[in-house]
Amino acid sequence: QLQLVESGGGLVQPGGSLRLSCAASGFILNYYAIGWFRQVPGKERERVSCISSSGVSTYYADSVKGRFTISRDNAKNTVYLQMNSLKPEDTAVYHCAKGGSCAFIDFGSWGQGTQVTVSS
């Protein structure tokens, strides 16, 4: 089965950091743009970040700009989301998805995700 698997979430205090990983299984991640989005029960899905297949172009939502950094390691078939200066409002389940470009990420299918909880 072709899929992306998210990991790296956990419980951190406000101001802390986490690094999320999006690992490809069954396909070559190098060929795709990868986006991160997050979901909170009762709220709309929010697009967080995206990186082009080449790694040259990146996108960040205003809510995370300056705090989060997306990167990719094609040798490891993995995309990372470094999250610094975390706030309670960052608490969510984080998912990744792929597309031909950051303008065309397919959010129609998504997996289990990884839970990020920011609390004292």
Side-chain angles (χ1 to χ4, degrees):
Q1 181 179 354
L2 307 181
Q3 64 179 30
L4 296 171
V5 179
E6 305 93 340
S7 63
L11 173 64
V12 297
Q13 295 185 350
S17 298
L18 285 172
R19 189 181 73 165
L20 306 185
S21 297
C22 175
S25 177
F27 65 95
I28 304 300
L29 196 61
N30 306 33
Y31 299 160
Y32 299 95
I34 300 295
W36 285 95
F37 68 97
R38 60 191 182 187
Q39 183 72 60
V40 178
K43 296 183 178 180
E44 295 182 357
R45 180 185 64 205
E46 180 183 14
R47 293 171 173 83
V48 175
S49 185
C50 186
I51 187 168
S52 65
S53 59
S54 68
V56 172
S57 299
T58 58
Y59 160 84
Y60 299 96
D62 288 341
S63 58
V64 307
K65 195 171 299 181
R67 300 187 296 117
F68 291 10
T69 303
I70 191 169
S71 63
R72 64 191 307 151
D73 186 342
N74 288 334
K76 296 182 178 180
N77 221 25
T78 302
V79 167
Y80 302 100
L81 184 67
Q82 179 67 45
M83 307 186 297
N84 299 324
S85 302
L86 283 163
K87 304 174 180 179
E89 51 262 44
D90 294 318
T91 296
V93 177
Y94 284 71
H95 303 264
C96 60
K98 64 180 176 64
S101 71
C102 284
F104 299 100
I105 296 294
D106 179 15
F107 293 104
S109 61
W110 45 297
Q112 189 172 0
T114 185
Q115 175 72 48
V116 172
T117 302
V118 185
S119 176
S120 298

